[in-house]
Amino acid sequence: MHDDRQLTEGRLTRFIDDVLPGALYRRRKPLQVQAWHVPGEPVPVSKALAAEYRAVEVPFPWGAPWSTSWFRVRGSVPPEWFEDGRLPAGTRLEVAVDLGFYGDRPGFQAEGLAFLPDGSLVKGIAPRSAYVPWPEGRRDHEFFIEAAANPDVAGEYTFRPTPLGDRETAGAEPLYTVRQIDLGLLDTTVWELAQDIWTLRGLMAELPIEGSRRWQILRALERMIDVVDPDDVAGTAARGREELAGALSSPAAASAHRVVAVGHAHIDTAWLWPLRETIRKCARTFASAVALMDEYPEYRFACSSAQQLFWIKRDYPALFQRIREKVATGQFVPVGGMWVEPDMNMPGGESMARQLVLGKRFFLEEFGVDSQEAWVPDTFGYSAAIPQILREAGMRWFMTQKISWNQTNEMPHTSFLWEGIDGSQVFTHFPSADTYISELSGAELAHAERNFKEKGTAGSSLVPFGWGDGGGGPTREMLAAASRLRSLDGSPTVEIDSPEAFFERAEAEYGEPPVWVGELYLELHRGSLTSQHRTKQGNRRNENLLLEAELWAATAAVRAGASYPYREIEAAWQTVLLHQFHDILPGTSIAWVHQEVEEANADVERTLERIIAAALAALSGPGERELVANARSFPDAGVLPLGVGEPAPAGGELDVRETEAGFVLSNSHIVVGVDQLGHITSLRDTTSGREAIPAGESGNVLMLHRDTPNLWDAWDVDVHYRRAARPIDGIESIAAGREPDAVTLTIRRRFGTSSISQVLRLERGAGSLAIENTIDWKEKHKLLKLVFPIDVHADRFAAETQFGHVFRPTHVNTSWDAARFEVSAHRWIHVAEPGYGVAIANESTYGHDVTRHTVDGRRTVVAVGLSLLRSPEFPDPGADQGEHVIRFAVRPGAGIRDAVREGTALNLPRRRVRGGHPVAPVISVSHPGVSVSSVKLAEDGGGDVVVRVYESEGARAEVTVTADFDAGTPRLVDLLERDSGRETVAFGPGRITLSLGPFQLATVRIPRL
Ligand SMILES: [Zn+2]
């Protein structure tokens, strides 16, 4: 037989493009449209329904960037559309809407939401789902469309600066033209035929040309084209479907890969749109989801963020009620159990815990659902602390697909056990389709099978389907595809089910999964550890203030009978957790988002400071004694941990003097030599007497790097940043200063149009040198690093993460090591060789690099680089411009415990208060290696005291937690403060002894009598 494959495939393309689209609607008729353009920000539906509308003629322009217009649509079905008083068989009525869509990408352009005149929601309107159903049996109908003129900030992803991300600069010209709002008579047979063709064609393209199945499908499609008459598609579509029936009913092979398809809409909680738009995106997407559930009973939709459902409950209560009903039927599936899908590198340990506490509590209280699976498809890497945190929240499974974005190395597993810093494991799955926005195409399903790395041992993968990022979710076309793919020869089988059902199956079919130990590092988006410093600093500051607010408010409740500000503290947590979303904390949102976040963070800061001040005033009473409120887990100036007391005066010498070479700052613990350029040439602790700075090198060197990532501007630092760098060593002034209990050296520098003032500060009795950088930053596409070479021989370094630390290599032996050239650290980095180490603590910095170099070819030293600021131009062209204050502390002669303490001290600076008397701690913890993460009252409002501790040094600790109040017997609980069933060494009234393993986390609930 002659080979006409390409000819026939070309004929099919032409048929699909030219014949089918025009035949979908048998008849069309424009409807009457009136418009009301909202002045300013969006309004509630009640206000929009009552507005004054004016008649408009389609087509008409509308929509300045970020504006909202409402359209009132009215009309009746023409009598001639009826046959014997009914619509023709195989048809249904709907309204086809074109708001001026360009391309077919939902969520990144104009979007609509249809409402009935009573204010109830119908569904979202976007490309690929641009229809509104016409109620069955109705001749006349009226509805409203809330149309959002969201601009396409991303454009073609050129990552060039755009004014669209800020209302101030986005412009006022209409972006869109309404092209069509027509009543249409949909031919359901033609529509079904189109779905048959789409699935078969997609499958065919993936099949081997040498195989029979591909040709069987090709011939069926060819026969279909033969019988469908372009001049009478409606009359011949059914015959066309008959020709395809055989190819569609040929069942899947017994060995076929099994896909569990989960409906989903990844909705970025803020990104290229502001938070307020996300609320509407959720309303559109969820309204569409519940509407489709009525039509497709098998449909399951997984929804991951409590915050998004919280908004729906507040702003769209009727929709929330429908969602509740669909949760009860099992169709709407709350997953993930977190407040948002957060960044998982940068949030502190307590924040990660609260993501789960607030998220799971919302799902439990609103829906009675206790999510078992973490659902973070799009987050930029996952710290090695996550498995334990998930297990402590009662979670069993973990899902992401983001690691498929790795630039260098491919992860060896699809399904595996992921092991964290403490040894906790969670069963983890990377959807092998490598997407969370599948449309169940032949190409995606074939990729899911090809890319599945457990073949022969396991056979199931999860495929999230539905438009995402900007919302949209599954379409009726995707559900039609799923039904055709249940068992289809040549394709993986597709079954719609819940994530839970998938994980149950995947875990059961995989007896001994492989184990991956340590972080899931994303080999991309490393700049997100540094971009938008103010957003990150606000996060860190409020995390620390929350710890203090809860501690002092709980102490005041116990000691002084003060009322505990549950609601204010919860609201503060909600804001902090929201801002940890995976495009906010990473600094990858538009200007509008980061401006709002900075304002909201400042509000939270004020609230927390007020709570702290009120609690401390209630505790220490009136008076003028100078006291210190110590929220740290170790003594501060002699004041007990978690207590308020009179500080002991610091002792010892203190000096700053000018020498020929520069300056020397010293106290009884350390001696710092600084040259005329303001660089640290010598750093010694008096205990070891050892020099921390390698001979001939200098620390405290500011390096300005060219920072021009190939793609993702705010997201990426590409490794080539290292190749173009210069030290900022020009100096404007350098001057020593003296205070009663500190000596300082102030160094002012200018470069370009920016300036930096550095204050090196050595306090009496301190073991570390503090460095405060005040930077007026006006650079573009530059990365500013502060570099410290350290004279230690070290293969690895420690970086703090949630509830512990991780070690990473200083060398680049393997491609995996080399790819980790910019990494996350929380409050400290520690480099050491046996017997000696140096800690560098930070107050608001996450991005670090630690490298090593050889001296004289005989020995190695280590260089720590701290990433202070970047200046990307997309999506926020003004990112990071302006003033920043960034603090560090360097401690020579430091062990891990010192590093933990330096990091804590810098983040919980000494809090001085005036009051009448000291306050004894309500809780004491017996082991110096055990840190207190939280002291608070129980989430349930019952008044129990909850204490969370963790072993912070990677060692073992037998620790006793003691309550200094009338207490019942403490219990070990999970993060949600439910009995954990874990064993304790001993307990009695107000006292519990725990045996903690390395980095083990424990939450203790202490009843108050
Ligand atoms: Zn995302």
Side-chain angles (χ1 to χ4, degrees), residues 744-821:
T744 60
L745 197 59
T746 301
I747 307 149
R748 295 183 201 283
R749 307 175 190 278
R750 264 185 195 291
F751 56 99
T753 50
S754 304
S755 62
I756 299 185
S757 163
Q758 265 195 331
V759 179
L760 310 187
R761 181 185 179 86
L762 187 61
E763 295 200 348
R764 194 185 300 280
S768 62
L769 175 72
I771 303 175
E772 181 175 280
N773 304 274
T774 303
I775 306 168
D776 186 19
W777 183 243
K778 293 178 177 160
E779 304 305 305
K780 295 286 186 186
H781 283 121
K782 294 286 188 295
L783 167 64
L784 180 66
K785 285 224 174 212
L786 184 66
V787 180
F788 270 91
I790 306 290
D791 195 1
V792 293
H793 176 66
D795 293 339
R796 62 179 196 173
F797 65 99
E800 194 194 25
T801 185
Q802 295 99 350
F803 303 123
H805 58 266
V806 287
F807 290 106
R808 299 185 182 97
T810 57
H811 57 72
V812 289
N813 277 0
T814 70
S815 58
W816 297 84
D817 303 329
R820 275 188 276 192
F821 59 81

Side-chain angles (χ1 to χ4, degrees), residues 430-698:
F430 296 158
S432 52
D434 286 346
T435 179
Y436 51 82
I437 313 174
S438 171
E439 47 181 330
L440 300 178
S441 70
E444 288 162 339
L445 295 170
H447 182 71
E449 173 157 14
R450 274 198 290 269
N451 188 43
F452 186 73
K453 299 192 174 69
E454 325 299 327
K455 283 195 275 282
T457 313
S460 301
S461 70
L462 185 151
V463 174
F465 69 97
W467 297 113
D469 292 329
T475 61
R476 57 188 178 185
E477 286 78 9
M478 295 172 192
L479 292 162
S483 73
R484 284 159 177 78
L485 288 159
R486 264 181 218 133
S487 175
L488 185 61
D489 187 0
S491 167
T493 61
V494 174
E495 186 185 335
I496 294 182
D497 215 328
S498 65
E500 183 179 359
F502 166 77
F503 274 109
E504 293 279 10
R505 173 202 285 189
E507 208 171 18
E509 75 179 16
Y510 210 167
E512 282 182 60
V515 178
W516 178 269
V517 177
E519 69 185 318
L520 296 172
Y521 178 88
L522 180 64
E523 296 173 349
L524 200 72
H525 294 358
R526 303 165 182 93
S528 66
L529 298 172
T530 305
S531 298
Q532 298 281 8
H533 170 258
R534 274 184 289 264
T535 292
K536 293 174 164 65
Q537 189 167 46
N539 173 69
R540 184 79 75 81
R541 200 166 274 166
N542 283 333
E543 284 183 332
N544 295 315
L545 288 173
L546 274 161
L547 181 152
E548 286 193 89
E550 288 184 332
L551 167 66
W552 300 127
T555 305
V558 172
R559 288 266 179 269
S563 70
Y564 189 81
Y566 285 103
R567 211 168 312 151
E568 280 182 299
I569 286 176
E570 184 178 46
W573 268 118
Q574 286 173 345
T575 304
V576 169
L577 299 179
L578 165 62
H579 294 172
Q580 290 171 350
F581 173 72
H582 65 258
D583 279 305
I584 299 180
L585 187 54
T588 48
S589 284
I590 53 173
W592 188 343
V593 174
H594 289 287
Q595 286 160 12
E596 280 192 348
V597 165
E598 286 170 29
E599 284 166 26
N601 279 344
D603 277 350
V604 169
E605 190 177 332
R606 279 189 291 273
T607 302
L608 294 173
E609 288 286 4
R610 184 168 44 72
I611 291 172
I612 293 165
L616 289 172
L619 280 166
S620 63
E624 289 301 312
R625 285 172 71 179
E626 291 195 7
L627 304 169
V628 163
N630 180 18
R632 307 171 186 169
S633 304
F634 47 90
D636 178 17
V639 177
L640 287 177
L642 316 180
V644 181
E646 208 142 0
E653 297 155 23
L654 186 68
D655 190 34
V656 58
R657 61 198 159 83
E658 199 161 351
T659 65
E660 241 169 68
F663 297 85
V664 175
L665 297 82
S666 63
N667 66 11
S668 47
H669 296 300
I670 57 177
V671 183
V672 187
V674 181
D675 68 11
Q676 300 287 357
L677 293 173
H679 295 153
I680 294 176
T681 50
S682 172
L683 179 62
R684 289 173 196 273
D685 65 289
T686 53
T687 310
S688 76
R690 194 172 146 166
E691 178 59 69
I693 306 291
E697 301 193 28
S698 317

Side-chain angles (χ1 to χ4, degrees), residues 62-66 97-112 125-130 148-157 162 164 173-180 272-273 281 467:
W62 70 283
W66 304 115
V97 180
D98 182 350
L99 296 174
F101 300 129
Y102 48 86
D104 54 9
R105 207 157 53 116
F108 290 85
Q109 53 167 303
E111 297 176 67
I125 302 166
R128 298 187 183 241
S129 187
N150 298 336
D152 180 8
V153 176
E156 299 299 310
Y157 285 98
T162 164
L164 290 170
E173 290 302 307
L175 288 176
Y176 298 102
T177 297
V178 170
R179 286 191 286 250
Q180 157 189 305
L272 302 179
W273 44 86
K281 283 175 180 289
W467 297 113

Side-chain angles (χ1 to χ4, degrees), residues 803-872:
F803 303 123
H805 58 266
V806 287
F807 290 106
R808 299 185 182 97
T810 57
H811 57 72
V812 289
N813 277 0
T814 70
S815 58
W816 297 84
D817 303 329
R820 275 188 276 192
F821 59 81
E822 180 82 6
V823 297
S824 160
H826 285 196
R827 295 170 294 184
W828 53 266
I829 284 258
H830 183 249
V831 293
E833 59 188 37
Y836 181 81
V838 174
I840 302 181
N842 71 78
E843 189 207 31
S844 57
T845 296
Y846 295 92
H848 292 75
D849 75 294
V850 180
T851 56
R852 61 195 223 155
H853 53 277
T854 305
V855 180
D856 304 331
R858 296 292 300 268
R859 60 194 191 88
T860 71
V861 300
V862 168
V864 178
L866 305 137
S867 299
L868 275 59
L869 290 171
R870 296 187 67 216
S871 39

